[in-house]
Amino acid sequence: MVTQAVTQAERRVRTRSWRKVSEEHEEHEELVAEAGKILRRNDMGGWTRAAPELYPHQWSWDSAFIAIGLAHLDTRRAAQELRTLFAHQWKTGKVPHIVFNPKAPPDSYYPGAEHWACAASSPDAPPAPPYTSCLCQPPVHAIAALRIWEAARRKDEKALVEATAFLREIYPRLFAWHRYLATFRDPERSGLVTIYHPWASGTDNSPRWDDALAAIEVGEMETYPRFDLQHLDDPSERPASAEYDRYLWLVKLIKRAGCDERSIYRSHPFLVKDVLFSAVLVAANEALLEIAEVVEASDEERELIDGWAGRSRQGLKECWDEKLGLCLDYDLRADKPLRVRTVAGFAAPLIAGRQSPERLEALLGELDSSAFSGHPELRWPLPPSTSPKETGFHPRSYWRGPVWPVANWLLWWSLIRAGEPERAARIRRASLDQIAEGGFAEYFEPFTGEPLGSNSQSWTAAVVLDWLLSDSLRKADSRSSQSE
Ligand code: 2M8
């Protein structure tokens, strides 16, 4: 396997140097065209389904990434993506993790609208239908809103005026969303966001949650359908039934608590401080501060946002594990850190930014090590979602090992912000090669590069657009190829 991987790596290098610049350009044009086509096909009129069959609804953080990609094609449509999502914001400020598509084919996704319909009876829920779940996902939205405005500023005066009006409209909603996360989801004021379901992390079956889930005793439950498995050939690409039992049991408990945040916090068996979620919130609060400036928000609000960001930076620092050189999630019920090496461990501090030179070096060392991107058998030098050195690693199973383009986008973006443009350019280039070879998959097998999960995944298309159409990136890329 090692010999084969080295050969593949050599072949890649040779292919690259043989390939003429014009050919690369053509390949990029094709990728841009294909990504645009995918987003158009998944466009449901003002919002985009996460994938054509497996995910026929609007997902919260998917929509934010989609808006980042769409901003390069049509800033007005990109703004609409976020506007549609935020139209279903809860009174507490929560942005639901799914807004259910009333026109989705029956039996296409479980648990669907009917399962979550009860959430609509919560006094905090928005008017329904459409129904929403009562979970939430990492808050990429302010980053997306700012990106839309920046894209409009590069375009023309008319687009800028429109995007500024959009920021004025969305700012109070973003502010309420971040305030919800800083209060309801962090009653300890630790700076770290608590999740009460693995779905809220966005990295659902990651071994990050194994210990916390293992402690849960699943009670009496009705049988349930696995519609997700109909859409794939190989069931091992999706979470296992033991994981699904726990997901649905947790949903049952959340529904039993009437989706009430305080009751959930009091009694729920799965309560975890999520470092990746919290780090995205730091970056999102930084974006929100910039938005606050554009819309001339009050000093009081700006101070609050700044304070939330500072508190989360501090909270994340305290999750650092010197031995692993990573940041660790914290299980509030067991009162202990969750010691697993996943991409979240180094992505979180990088996304949160402002690391000391020593810590940055440790993080980059871990990223480059054989535990992640430096593993000798990888098809592409990209970090598997879980380190192959972990016992919970599985190369085909969803967030337990496959490589995710969307996670690589977050890393790339954070590396640029951390002053590491060459490393960022390498991640971008390998990711584009991976997608050019395997298509717009949801995730990829790390050793073979086989595309897995859904195809035509919207956020994969969106990050490709951003990688290929972002000016700043092209510059970083050319700097690094000059130094090669
Ligand atoms: C995946 O999660 C959903 C549940 O929310 C699922 O597996 O059914 C995750 O990858 C999540 O991060 C993503 O937002 C969603 C849609 O792409 O799919």
Side-chain angles (χ1 to χ4, degrees):
M1 189 94 171
V2 177
T3 339
Q4 190 193 346
V6 171
T7 318
Q8 279 170 344
E10 281 171 357
R11 183 157 15 98
R12 269 199 314 278
V13 173
R14 273 190 248 126
T15 316
R16 179 159 294 288
S17 50
W18 287 339
R19 217 193 277 158
K20 291 200 200 81
V21 175
S22 62
E23 280 171 8
E24 276 198 24
H25 181 71
E26 264 170 40
E27 188 180 87
H28 285 182
E29 301 263 286
E30 272 169 36
L31 280 178
V32 167
E34 186 54 30
K37 233 190 267 166
I38 289 173
L39 289 183
R40 273 194 301 281
R41 276 204 306 265
N42 290 343
D43 189 334
M44 305 304 286
W47 65 272
T48 310
R49 55 189 173 183
E53 282 155 6
L54 186 56
Y55 307 118
H57 307 291
Q58 183 174 28
W59 260 263
S60 169
W61 74 328
D62 297 57
S63 267
F65 286 110
I66 290 163
I68 290 172
L70 283 175
H72 295 284
L73 306 180
D74 179 349
T75 46
R76 190 186 287 178
R77 175 61 185 80
Q80 191 58 21
E81 187 75 27
L82 293 180
R83 196 179 274 126
T84 322
L85 177 71
F86 276 81
H88 306 287
Q89 186 167 27
W90 285 45
K91 293 193 187 77
T92 49
K94 173 166 64 191
V95 176
H97 109 284
I98 305 177
V99 179
F100 291 101
N101 169 14
K103 296 195 182 125
D107 301 349
S108 51
Y109 186 82
Y110 189 88
E114 24 351 284
H115 201 80
W116 280 111
C118 58
S121 59
S122 157
D124 298 327
Y131 294 99
T132 77
S133 87
C134 92
L135 305 174
C136 60
Q137 280 185 322
V140 185
H141 317 87
I143 301 168
L146 185 63
R147 281 279 188 129
I148 295 171
W149 184 80
E150 286 166 352
R153 193 172 52 175
R154 285 196 299 270
K155 204 172 156 211
D156 57 42
E157 191 52 32
K158 186 167 164 269
L160 179 60
V161 170
E162 226 174 73
T164 307
F166 166 66
L167 285 193
R168 289 218 171 83
E169 171 197 334
I170 199 90
Y171 168 79
R173 290 184 171 271
L174 288 169
F175 182 81
W177 168 217
H178 290 199
R179 185 179 47 203
Y180 160 80
L181 293 171
T183 53
F184 283 101
R185 303 307 282 265
D186 185 21
E188 312 84 358
R189 303 294 185 263
S190 65
L192 301 171
V193 178
T194 308
I195 58 164
Y196 38 76
H197 197 294
W199 284 337
S201 70
T203 65
D204 311 2
N205 75 338
S206 167
R208 294 167 78 189
W209 317 128
D210 283 1
D211 279 0
L213 285 177
I216 294 171
E217 240 177 78
V218 178
E220 271 300 293
M221 253 194 344
E222 313 72 50
T223 53
Y224 57 88
R226 286 292 303 270
F227 296 143
D228 56 327
L229 301 180
Q230 302 166 23
H231 306 298
L232 303 174
D233 295 333
D234 175 5
S236 79
E237 292 171 33
R238 290 285 299 171
S241 354
E243 289 155 353
Y244 249 82
D245 287 351
R246 282 170 173 77
Y247 298 160
L248 289 166
W249 176 246
L250 290 176
V251 169
K252 189 167 178 156
L253 297 181
I254 291 166
K255 283 162 67 170
R256 207 182 267 169
C259 293
D260 176 69
E261 306 282 347
R262 289 188 185 88
S263 330
I264 295 170
Y265 224 88
R266 268 197 305 273
S267 60
H268 204 55
F270 182 93
L271 226 48
V272 172
K273 292 288 185 190
D274 177 333
V275 291
L276 183 62
F277 198 128
S278 308
V280 171
L281 184 58
V282 173
N285 270 321
E286 283 170 3
L288 191 59
L289 263 183
E290 288 190 49
I291 296 174
E293 176 127 10
V294 177
V295 306
E296 295 167 334
S298 69
D299 288 347
E300 199 189 333
E301 285 185 357
R302 289 192 218 194
E303 271 164 38
L304 267 173
I305 302 169
D306 199 33
W308 296 333
R311 194 157 75 198
S312 296
R313 272 189 219 105
Q314 185 53 37
L316 283 162
K317 265 194 200 137
E318 288 161 23
C319 295
W320 181 254
D321 185 283
E322 203 63 58
K323 216 156 156 220
L324 292 181
L326 293 172
C327 210
L328 297 180
D329 303 296
Y330 196 87
D331 183 344
L332 288 178
R333 286 294 177 238
D335 200 13
K336 60 167 201 211
L338 294 162
R339 301 191 89 255
V340 199
R341 281 168 297 176
T342 70
V343 76
F346 56 79
L350 284 171
I351 295 167
R354 302 196 199 179
Q355 301 298 317
S356 66
E358 298 75 38
R359 191 148 292 180
L360 184 61
E361 203 186 313
L363 283 166
L364 299 178
E366 188 61 23
L367 167 60
D368 294 343
S369 76
S370 59
F372 289 102
S373 304
H375 192 287
E377 294 173 31
L378 294 180
R379 170 71 182 101
W380 307 103
L382 293 167
S385 44
T386 298
S387 168
K389 301 201 164 171
E390 282 293 331
T391 46
F393 170 80
H394 187 303
R396 301 181 73 78
S397 174
Y398 209 39
W399 288 97
R400 302 187 83 86
V403 174
W404 287 70
V406 74
N408 291 332
W409 185 92
L410 277 172
L411 270 178
W412 161 81
W413 182 72
S414 311
L415 285 167
I416 294 176
R417 284 157 44 96
E420 287 290 325
E422 277 93 22
R423 222 187 223 92
R426 285 200 291 273
I427 290 194
R428 168 185 176 268
R429 202 177 289 159
S431 300
L432 288 170
D433 286 345
Q434 181 184 55
I435 293 163
E437 180 186 89
F440 289 78
E442 192 183 3
Y443 43 95
F444 295 85
E445 213 274 4
F447 305 125
T448 62
E450 180 188 346
L452 301 175
S454 173
N455 51 30
S456 299
Q457 180 82 12
S458 294
W459 66 11
T460 305
V463 298
V464 164
L465 287 178
D466 197 54
W467 272 324
L468 291 173
L469 302 176
S470 286
D471 293 337
S472 60
L473 260 258
R474 263 196 239 123
K475 278 186 216 129
D477 214 359
S478 74
R479 268 202 303 277
S480 98
S481 49
Q482 275 156 22
S483 63
E484 270 170 17

